[in-house]
Amino acid sequence: MPHATAPPATGHRPRWWTELPLIAVVYGLYSMGRLLVRGDVSTAVDNGLAILRFEQALYLNAEHPLNRLFTSTPALGITADFAYASLHYLVTPAILVWMFRRRSAAYRAARVWLMNSTLLGLVGFTLIPTCPPRLLDASHGFVDTMAQYSAYGWWGAGASAPRGLSGMTNQYAAMPSLHVGWSLWCGVLLWRHARHPLLRWAGIAYPLITTIVVMGTANHYFLDAVAGAAVMGLGALLTRPVMRLADRVKGRLRTAFTTVSAASEPVRSPIVSAGCKTSAGERIPGQRTSSADSPDAAADGRTADAAANDDAPAAAR
């Protein structure tokens, strides 16, 4: 996804004291919005069953065998539950910090890409509230592994949230899967910007493992994962336009602020001479002089003095 990861032609190094509040505000708005856009349970269940029937019509049924494997094998199920409940909170911020510190030229585009896709995911939660497989009736063949293994982790039986806080999360925000979307974002950045081969291969493995985990724990359908990847693709395409719009808005705000600051400064009267003074006897060109100061008056004065000296008695000379 070159549009979202290529470094911009111009720009300045991002500052942590501006980036950190921005990310915190956007994530806070996303979390509150995700909680507030809960749809009714019947609509969410209908949407979940519709996705399940559509997958069956396409002969897609990876969820059931993976879920049975995780349910029957505690080592896999518990590990997958820990991964589902924690990795997206750890790996995604770690990649963001790594890009900020080591790949600052491409950081802004990566951050805008992540924010675009996250907000698009919120739109999906609003328009399509979806019941995950684990919350469907048991007759559909799914087992909630996080409830089964809740004694081994910090999460409760109700959700991947900490015990007692299941009511503080939207359990019907399954379409699209941002677990898969964020892992794909991490994978692309590792593949494009990491130098060590192991890190680049980790960029391939991480989104694939995440997709298996979300289906095996019965938290998402396969089409939820596909929708998560699609949301990331659309977010990548919108990265450059959003950056250009942000630059345009910042430019106009900066111009308006400069204009207001200039208008608020007091107007000072100009000093024509710029503080310079004429020396004694110097005359400014074009300046009118009095008769006492004119050259002719000075010459007449010298002639009169000479005549007076000539008429004086010799004894006085």
Side-chain angles (χ1 to χ4, degrees), residues 171-202:
Q171 299 191 65
Y172 300 104
M175 169 65 79
S177 171
L178 287 186
H179 275 76
V180 173
W182 290 348
S183 68
L184 181 61
W185 177 85
C186 295
V188 170
L189 294 179
L190 284 175
W191 178 259
R192 287 183 60 86
H193 299 289
R195 296 175 181 174
H196 199 284
L198 289 179
L199 289 177
R200 300 188 69 190
W201 281 109

Side-chain angles (χ1 to χ4, degrees), residues 61-73 76-77 80 142-143 145 208-218 220 222:
N61 189 26
E63 298 94 333
H64 279 105
L66 285 173
N67 185 238
R68 286 193 293 268
L69 177 63
F70 286 8
T71 302
S72 60
T73 311
L76 291 177
F142 292 104
V143 175
T145 62
L208 295 177
I209 293 174
T210 302
T211 302
I212 294 172
V213 164
V214 300
M215 291 191 297
T217 57
H220 289 282
F222 174 72

Side-chain angles (χ1 to χ4, degrees), residues 38-63:
R38 295 179 180 180
D40 61 281
V41 176
S42 60
T43 302
V45 171
D46 291 341
N47 290 335
L49 292 176
I51 293 173
L52 187 60
R53 287 192 295 267
F54 185 69
E55 289 187 2
Q56 291 172 350
L58 297 177
Y59 298 99
L60 299 174
N61 189 26
E63 298 94 333

